[in-house]
Amino acid sequence: MKAAAFAYARATSVVNALELLAAHGDRAKVLSGGQSLMPAMNLRLLSPDILVDIGGLAELRGIAVRGNVLVVGALTRHVDMLRSPEIALHAPLLRDAVAHVAHPAIRNRGTIGGSLAHADPASELPPCVVALDATVVIRGPAGERRIAATEFFKGIYETALSPDELLVAIELPVAGQGSTFFFQEYARRHGDYAIVGLAARAVVAVGGFTDLRLGFFAVGDRPLLAAAAGKLVNASVTPALLAEAATALADELDPQEDQQATAAMRRHLAAVLLRRCVAALLARPELEAGAAT
Amino acid sequence: MTETRATDTLSVLDRPNSYIGKTVPRPNLDRLLQGRGQYVSDLEMPRMAHVVFLRSPHAHAKIVMIDADAAKRMSGVISIVTGRELEAVITPWVGVLSHLKGLKSAPQHAIAVDRVCWQGEAVAAIVATSRAAAEDAMEHIAVEYEELEAVTDMCTALDPATPVIHASLGDNLAFERTLDAGDVDRALSESDVVEADFVFGRHTGVTLEPRAVVADWNAAEARLTIYQGTQAPHMVQNIAALHLGLREAQVRVVCKDVGGSFGIKVHIYADEMATYALSKLLRRPVKFVADRVESFNTDIHARDHRCRGRIGVRPDGTITAFEIDDLTGIGPYSMYPRTSAIEANQVVNLVGGPYVTPNYRARARVVFQNKNVMCQYRAVGHPIACSVTEGLVDLAAARIGMDPVEIRRRNLIADDAYPCASPSGMRFEQLSHHASLAKLLQMMDYDALRAEQAALRARNVHRGIGIASFIEVTNPSAAFYGVGGAKISSQDGVAVRLDAQGSVICQTSITEQGQGSESLTAQIVGSVLGVSMERVRVILGDTDNTPYGGGTWASRGAGIGGEAALQAAKALRRNILDVAAAILQSTPAGLDIVNNSIVNADDGTPRIELNELARIVYFRPDTLPPGIQAELIATRHFVPRQYPFAFTNGIQASWLEVDVETGFVTLLKHWVVEDCGTIINPQLVDEQIRGGVVQGLGAALFEKCIYDERGQLTNANMADYLVPMSGEMPDIEIGHVVSPTQESELGAKGAGEAGTAGAAAAVANAVNDALRPFGAIITEIPLTPQVILTALGRI
Ligand SMILES: Cc1cc2nc3c(=O)[nH]c(=O)nc-3n(C[C@H](O)[C@H](O)[C@H](O)COP(=O)(O)OP(=O)(O)OC[C@H]3O[C@@H](n4cnc5c(N)ncnc54)[C@H](O)[C@@H]3O)c2cc1C
């Protein structure tokens, strides 16, 4: 398990990184935290000719609030998000999610940019940025472009990024009044990728939802912003309505079968998560049990 | 601790300042923590080459052609060797033992010749200047295979329609054993009968340091030095010599620090044999370190059993009979030299073992299949036997509406019934099932826990309590392997020497892979001699520099190697006192050794320090009285002879919660009470128990080698093969009952496998206990969410 030989370049600036990517095309790979890329290279699943290491680019680091927007640089490490007061205040969903990502040693190196660019369908951060209605900021040879997180993920390990582009930052709307969040996943061991998970943002007023974004993950080839959530918004949530939403959710899911779970099990767990999420966000425990049968 | 047997006289272990029974830190801790461990994976030697094995992608195939021309020309490549070429250096082997009647297997080669029989079997060796260069070259070897039908399902391995893997053997049956004791038919006809199929996931023992070997053939000396992380250096010496055409004196095996073994490193693996042979062939040191994927594909697997069990029970709770039909698939070869029939054999030996019923019938069949080889891993057979037995006992209790504790109380062998024997002929010297059960109930506060369970159930929270009694085979005599013809020693030796400054050097044939062999040896020697532990240096793991012996496996190090250490230290003590008496014009009986000094036996007055005595002996022997020749070294060996095995016993309990919506199990608490006889170092024993429990919990909930129907191992990596991790582990509370064996002065039995023996059974019983309101019964491990949700009818 040794990586095949490769060349290595440490980018000196974003511009320099983009030049290197332009020069080598899809024979190059961006190296960020290396926590997904290096294992794949050691298993010789990937053998890039050259690595473009962006680890030294200070311009890609940092968490800042600009007006109503929270900007998180691509090189922000998982551990930085876990500890950041800005994240805790404005996007606590990310903090809750990151606590489920791997283990401390990996969180000390892995980055949000790497995680989103890697686009593992069982990964925690992609559904968060979808649920939070984030914007992905991308730089390429033609300059900067912005794309909605909901449009960014294209499939298993596939995104809207092309090989000559860099993900530079994520922009998140800061949490407004009445915003509440829910994050839960089912994994056999702490730190494992989820069997099924849910990252949700809601606005709750007078006992009901005025907004609800449900980002399911590990239920398809990319994070799913469930349309079924619409049934629960501006409505009186009853066990019957919740059951109706669960049925609608089942139609949206396209789960894969793997060693951990059949498709049927994933559908079942997604429905359980939906009930538990709604019950938790509305602080109505009876909703969780009510639809249990 | 509860002493079940009073010792009438003070033994050598109760001397002043004894270390026995005390938690003392391991002497090797600082060395390991400061990164000064000597692991084979780290070993570098001049001219050392690295070998990588090209492994079969097919479970069963003919090798039509190997084209390594392009690869041979690549930079860094020293040699590429096929099975045919290596045959000239090393002979094949057959993993059978004569006492396992009827056991058969086919000749196995160091590298496959003509045919591969499992996915992962080595097809060619690439020797290069670095592992990376060898891996580069490996990608350029072209092998043409002709795929053969793979036998993967053990349930159909014996069907006439299934191809026979080794034509010369006639069929796919490796071994079969039957046993019929008492009158099972009659007992069952007069009882309620409950039966179930128990299914166990094939899994493996994941060691932190993979298997690693450096073989160094010195042509000038005509001698091979093997540096290897192994549990049994003398066994490796014997086997390597045998198949390389050398005398044992031409092979030295050195085994320093080992990053975990668990039985994985007690076998002879084909790729290790190939590495020895390559060194001889290429006349230079060759290193092989398995990578993680190779480890999953070639480290022995274990526990792939399906066992149908029946139990008879009367309304008063009397268990009237056990009956089992066990089937296990062991891969294409019986492993060498311990064989792959031992686990099934143990299952037959152990089922029903804690209980009084004399009626027991068993059949075990061991079949070949095209998967990785299976063999002995920590607690060989015990988890199967315990899960089947204890699962059946719980089912019987449920059938008659009796509490699981009560049915055990009524059927466990009484603590005053010893010595006695089980229906399978296992002889028990002294066990303590009832004392252990009583202690367990008190530790876990059983009644309060039951009340809590009932209260929570009313709130739709589903918790369960599971209990499992077990017996454990430890301190094996020659009955294990020797009688079957294997050159695996059941005796161990220890040499103890006083150096010229009164320190002690101790060479032992047991080995250290983290169990604390170094520590317990130093504790015993220090205590018996009257020397402080810092002055005792223990040398192990070197066939040139230790007495001959078995090593560390089958929970034997402390019980057998420890007794040899005790006897050697006693002999040296006598020798020292003889000289001291001569120097001090006293008598040996009038003197003692305490705190590194010779003292008066009666009042403890110091007479002469050991370093002064050593100075006189080594440098001024002219001052000793005529005729006195000091012998400041003594060697003793020990092997159990009265009992084939020193059985131990214990009981475990699990308290857990099942989320009936998701099928996830949360382990809340685990208790173990076990009886390993004399406890030399409580911390070491508890560490052994805890570590063993964790491996048992891994089997219960997480670990499984998942093969597809074509014999492909589909989760050969640390992301998909789930080892138990600390986050999921409960607190494990341990209690002891002490019934020393009378067969040795030390009285120690083994403790290394007790934790693994019963953990999965306790968990499975607890899950079924939690699911009782739903009427679901699961007799399959690992208990994954998928399995639990399916049983609950949720999916
Ligand atoms: C044992 C283990 C367990 C793990 N468990 C989890 C888990 O439970 N959940 C989870 O989400 N993750 C898990 N991970 C993965 C971890 O979160 C990674 O850190 C993350 O997926 C990738 O981030 P990275 O910075 O390490 O990226 P790298 O590994 O450096 O890169 C990943 C990919 O993204 C590309 N890339 C990186 N940065 C950019 C960029 N700025 N622009 C364009 N392309 C880029 C790379 O070229 C590469 O293809 C685990 C990893 C390990 C080793």
Side-chain angles (χ1 to χ4, degrees):
Chain A
M1 260 202 265
K2 305 285 178 201
F6 56 87
Y8 170 89
R10 190 157 171 91
T12 52
S13 65
V14 169
V15 171
N16 176 233
L18 291 173
E19 283 165 6
L20 287 163
L21 291 178
H24 297 281
D26 58 9
R27 287 175 294 119
K29 270 277 171 197
V30 174
L31 174 64
S32 186
Q35 298 304 293
S36 294
L37 184 56
M38 294 317 297
M41 287 173 61
N42 284 339
L43 286 163
R44 298 199 178 202
L45 298 172
L46 283 178
S47 303
D49 289 350
I50 178 167
L51 290 187
V52 177
D53 184 354
I54 58 171
L57 304 184
E59 48 193 309
L60 297 183
R61 259 178 225 294
I63 300 167
V65 183
R66 295 200 195 115
N68 275 339
V69 177
L70 179 69
V71 184
V72 183
L75 275 182
T76 305
R77 299 174 305 155
H78 301 325
V79 64
D80 301 328
M81 289 190 277
L82 211 50
R83 293 187 188 149
S84 154
E86 291 88 356
I87 298 267
L89 187 62
H90 299 299
L93 184 65
L94 274 181
R95 180 205 52 198
D96 294 350
V98 166
H100 290 82
V101 175
H103 308 278
I106 293 145
R107 296 201 290 257
N108 285 343
R109 286 182 179 271
T111 64
I112 186 166
S115 179
L116 299 182
H118 188 57
D120 187 314
S123 179
E124 287 82 359
L125 299 182
C128 290
V129 295
V130 165
L132 293 173
D133 205 6
T135 302
V136 181
V137 186
I138 297 170
R139 290 262 303 268
E144 193 166 280
R145 66 183 177 111
R146 285 180 155 63
I147 179 170
T150 46
E151 299 299 314
F152 180 74
F153 301 100
K154 298 292 185 196
I156 300 175
Y157 308 133
E158 270 181 54
T159 67
L161 281 171
S162 59
D164 56 1
E165 288 183 317
L166 264 191
L167 191 164
V168 292
I170 318 298
E171 295 176 348
L172 303 149
V174 300
Q177 274 290 316
S179 290
T180 54
F181 303 91
F182 175 91
F183 186 93
Q184 220 175 76
E185 68 174 38
Y186 299 127
R188 303 238 329 252
R189 301 176 305 180
H190 289 89
D192 281 355
Y193 282 102
I195 294 177
V196 172
L198 172 57
R201 191 197 77 178
V203 182
V204 177
V206 285
F209 295 115
T210 57
D211 188 19
L212 179 63
R213 292 175 69 90
L214 300 175
F216 282 93
F217 57 110
V219 290
D221 68 352
R222 69 195 86 174
L224 173 86
L225 186 67
K231 294 203 176 292
L232 303 169
V233 176
N234 297 324
S236 153
V237 180
T238 60
L241 185 67
L242 195 49
E244 207 180 293
T247 309
L249 175 67
D251 291 337
E252 288 183 74
L253 299 178
D254 182 19
Q256 310 239 331
E257 160 148 21
D258 63 17
Q259 290 173 345
Q260 306 286 356
T262 58
M265 175 164 154
R266 288 205 154 84
R267 286 176 187 283
H268 168 80
L269 290 181
V272 173
L273 267 180
L274 173 67
R275 289 199 304 270
R276 289 186 175 175
C277 170
V278 170
L281 288 174
L282 296 178
R284 287 172 53 194
E286 80 282 4
L287 284 176
E288 183 188 328
T293 41
Chain B
M1 262 181 274
T2 324
E3 282 277 356
T4 55
R5 207 187 285 180
T7 30
D8 342 318
T9 52
L10 273 189
S11 77
V12 290
L13 305 174
D14 306 313
R15 290 166 40 75
N17 304 328
S18 170
Y19 295 105
I20 307 301
K22 301 218 171 82
T23 288
V24 287
R26 302 156 180 251
N28 54 10
L29 268 188
D30 287 345
R31 188 169 58 78
L32 295 175
L33 291 175
Q34 292 180 30
R36 299 308 300 264
Q38 292 175 281
Y39 295 94
V40 177
S41 343
D42 297 331
L43 187 65
E44 296 288 340
M45 298 186 100
R47 293 182 67 248
M48 187 176 82
H50 297 259
V51 61
V52 164
F53 293 96
L54 175 64
R55 296 182 181 276
S56 168
H58 303 295
H60 198 192
K62 259 182 27 205
I63 303 169
V64 180
M65 195 261 312
I66 302 174
D67 178 359
D69 286 351
K72 279 182 179 161
R73 287 195 299 272
M74 289 182 64
S75 85
V77 173
I78 294 165
S79 184
I80 296 181
V81 182
T82 63
R84 264 278 173 260
E85 292 159 332
L86 208 61
E87 245 184 339
V89 193
I90 189 160
T91 56
W93 54 88
V94 181
V96 295
L97 286 169
S98 62
H99 68 310
L100 298 167
K101 286 194 185 54
L103 171 61
K104 59 190 195 237
S105 187
Q108 186 181 358
H109 297 267
I111 297 180
V113 175
D114 293 341
R115 190 168 65 118
V116 286
C117 288
W118 84 90
Q119 179 225 355
E121 186 172 5
V123 173
I126 302 98
V127 184
T129 50
S130 72
R131 174 142 189 141
E135 287 188 19
D136 284 347
M138 183 161 72
E139 291 183 348
H140 292 89
I141 302 180
V143 184
E144 192 185 316
Y145 295 98
E146 182 186 315
E147 253 194 280
L148 302 169
E149 194 178 332
V151 180
T152 54
D153 183 356
M154 64 184 171
C155 297
T156 56
L158 298 177
D159 289 359
T162 303
V164 173
I165 295 177
H166 304 293
S168 61
L169 301 181
D171 57 24
N172 289 327
L173 182 67
F175 178 67
E176 174 161 12
R177 179 179 167 200
T178 56
L179 182 106
D180 200 349
D183 191 342
V184 172
D185 289 328
R186 185 156 156 228
L188 291 179
S189 72
E190 293 167 355
S191 315
D192 272 338
V193 179
V194 192
E195 67 177 54
D197 278 316
F198 294 86
V199 180
F200 300 85
R202 182 184 257 258
H203 66 109
T204 183
V206 181
T207 59
L208 199 53
E209 184 195 24
R211 290 188 292 110
V213 54
V214 173
D216 181 15
W217 172 252
N218 183 329
E221 281 188 314
R223 220 168 172 243
L224 178 69
T225 304
I226 296 172
Y227 302 88
Q228 183 168 334
T230 174
Q231 301 173 236
H234 282 103
M235 181 193 86
V236 172
Q237 177 190 45
N238 168 262
I239 301 276
L242 182 67
H243 292 280
L244 290 167
L246 303 171
R247 282 173 295 110
E248 284 185 21
Q250 287 175 280
V251 179
R252 175 182 177 196
V253 178
V254 181
C255 171
K256 293 302 173 193
D257 295 303
V258 183
S261 53
F262 317 121
I264 299 302
K265 296 174 182 168
V266 76
H267 312 290
I268 298 289
Y269 289 87
D271 45 25
E272 293 163 2
M273 290 284 257
T275 307
Y276 315 153
L278 286 166
S279 174
K280 190 150 180 269
L281 189 73
L282 302 172
R283 296 168 153 243
R284 63 193 296 167
V286 179
K287 181 179 200 173
F288 168 64
V289 181
D291 71 21
R292 199 51 79 179
V293 178
E294 288 181 295
S295 298
F296 279 112
N297 278 297
T298 61
D299 286 9
I300 56 115
H301 294 172
R303 319 268 205 257
D304 196 359
H305 286 244
R306 300 182 72 93
C307 187
R308 162 148 289 245
R310 299 170 84 195
I311 186 170
V313 64
R314 294 231 186 83
D316 68 353
T318 307
I319 295 171
T320 58
F322 286 98
E323 182 176 15
I324 61 156
D325 188 1
D326 184 46
L327 177 66
T328 176
I330 54 160
Y333 298 103
S334 170
M335 196 70 183
Y336 191 57
R338 292 170 191 248
T339 85
S340 304
I342 299 279
E343 181 148 272
N345 200 52
Q346 291 278 56
V347 173
V348 173
N349 283 343
L350 298 174
V351 163
Y355 299 100
V356 289
T357 178
N359 305 311
Y360 174 41
R361 185 158 57 209
R363 175 172 77 155
R365 285 171 303 157
V366 177
V367 300
F368 293 115
Q369 48 180 186
N370 294 111
K371 294 180 181 174
N372 183 24
V373 285
M374 289 223 312
C375 200
Q376 284 80 290
Y377 158 58
R378 195 175 198 170
V380 191
H382 292 71
I384 315 281
C386 182
S387 292
V388 170
T389 305
E390 295 302 288
L392 288 172
V393 170
D394 265 26
L395 289 175
R399 168 67 63 91
I400 58 167
M402 186 176 274
D403 186 274
V405 167
E406 189 53 30
I407 193 169
R408 286 176 172 80
R409 205 176 264 139
R410 293 185 187 204
N411 289 280
L412 287 167
I413 301 172
D415 290 356
D416 60 4
Y418 300 94
C420 64
S422 78
S424 64
M426 298 295 107
R427 288 167 53 215
F428 305 133
E429 182 191 4
Q430 175 66 51
L431 302 178
S432 58
H433 288 300
H434 289 269
S436 299
L437 173 63
K439 179 145 197 163
L440 179 85
L441 297 179
Q442 170 228 320
M443 277 166 63
M444 66 192 287
D445 202 347
Y446 183 76
D447 295 335
L449 218 52
R450 281 280 176 221
E452 188 180 341
Q453 176 187 36
L456 287 169
R457 210 167 250 174
R459 290 169 29 207
N460 214 21
V461 173
H462 298 281
R463 293 192 176 176
I465 300 170
I467 295 195
S469 285
F470 63 90
I471 51 174
E472 189 205 339
V473 172
T474 79
N475 295 3
S477 70
F480 230 19
Y481 296 113
V483 298
K487 300 255 172 31
I488 301 169
S489 186
S490 53
Q491 58 90 59
D492 274 286
V494 173
V496 189
R497 175 174 107 213
L498 196 72
D499 81 1
Q501 288 191 326
S503 292
V504 177
I505 295 166
C506 170
Q507 293 146 298
T508 175
S509 59
I510 63 169
T511 54
E512 169 81 90
Q513 304 103 39
Q515 299 91 337
S517 305
E518 250 184 275
S519 183
L520 69 90
T521 305
Q523 281 179 263
I524 292 167
V525 169
S527 302
V528 174
L529 269 182
V531 168
S532 45
M533 257 180 85
E534 318 80 76
R535 290 207 189 180
V536 181
R537 200 158 72 80
V538 179
I539 295 169
L540 25 67
D542 184 344
T543 55
D544 268 7
N545 288 306
T546 66
Y548 200 93
T552 298
W553 39 270
S555 301
R556 65 186 298 287
I560 299 177
E563 176 69 6
L566 183 151
Q567 296 301 339
K570 265 176 79 177
L572 178 60
R573 185 163 167 270
R574 277 194 298 272
N575 294 355
I576 292 171
L577 291 179
D578 283 347
V579 189
I583 294 172
L584 300 170
Q585 297 177 344
S586 176
T587 61
L591 299 169
D592 194 2
I593 312 173
V594 175
N595 276 340
N596 312 305
S597 287
I598 310 290
V599 301
N600 282 341
D602 49 7
D603 60 5
T605 311
R607 299 292 305 274
I608 177 175
E609 289 192 5
L610 276 180
N611 64 350
E612 176 60 9
L613 178 139
R615 186 191 65 80
I616 295 169
V617 167
Y618 288 119
F619 307 115
R620 295 303 308 277
D622 56 310
T623 65
L624 292 174
I628 293 286
Q629 174 57 57
E631 288 296 349
L632 297 190
I633 183 166
T635 304
R636 287 294 183 274
H637 293 80
F638 177 71
V639 65
R641 301 280 295 276
Q642 288 163 258
Y643 284 88
F645 313 107
F647 268 94
T648 70
N649 69 281
I651 187 163
Q652 303 198 16
S654 168
W655 170 237
L656 53 74
E657 183 170 323
V658 182
D659 181 335
V660 296
E661 284 296 309
T662 64
F664 277 72
V665 174
T666 307
L667 301 172
L668 300 169
K669 186 93 191 214
H670 201 94
W671 297 266
V672 183
V673 176
E674 74 88 55
D675 182 347
C676 62
T678 303
I679 294 173
I680 299 162
N681 183 329
Q683 187 178 45
L684 289 181
V685 171
D686 288 0
E687 284 174 2
Q688 282 297 304
I689 304 286
R690 284 203 180 87
V693 165
V694 167
Q695 282 180 310
L697 296 177
L701 297 182
F702 301 109
E703 297 185 65
K704 185 174 182 181
C705 299
I706 303 172
Y707 276 90
D708 70 12
E709 62 288 349
R710 293 181 59 211
Q712 298 285 320
L713 180 57
T714 58
N715 62 337
N717 63 70
M718 296 294 280
D720 296 322
Y721 181 95
L722 308 184
V723 295
M725 291 175 71
S726 57
E728 282 62 52
M729 292 299 106
D731 281 347
I732 302 166
E733 215 173 280
I734 298 165
H736 300 280
V737 174
V738 177
S739 313
T741 171
Q742 303 299 310
E743 216 186 320
S744 67
E745 217 173 320
L746 184 60
K749 311 184 208 173
E753 299 166 282
T756 313
V763 167
N765 282 350
V767 166
N768 283 325
D769 187 48
L771 298 184
R772 199 138 288 150
F774 303 90
I777 290 170
I778 310 177
T779 50
E780 173 183 350
I781 58 170
L783 287 151
T784 65
Q786 177 90 43
V787 166
I788 291 173
L789 287 177
T790 305
L792 284 168
R794 294 275 199 273
I795 50 173

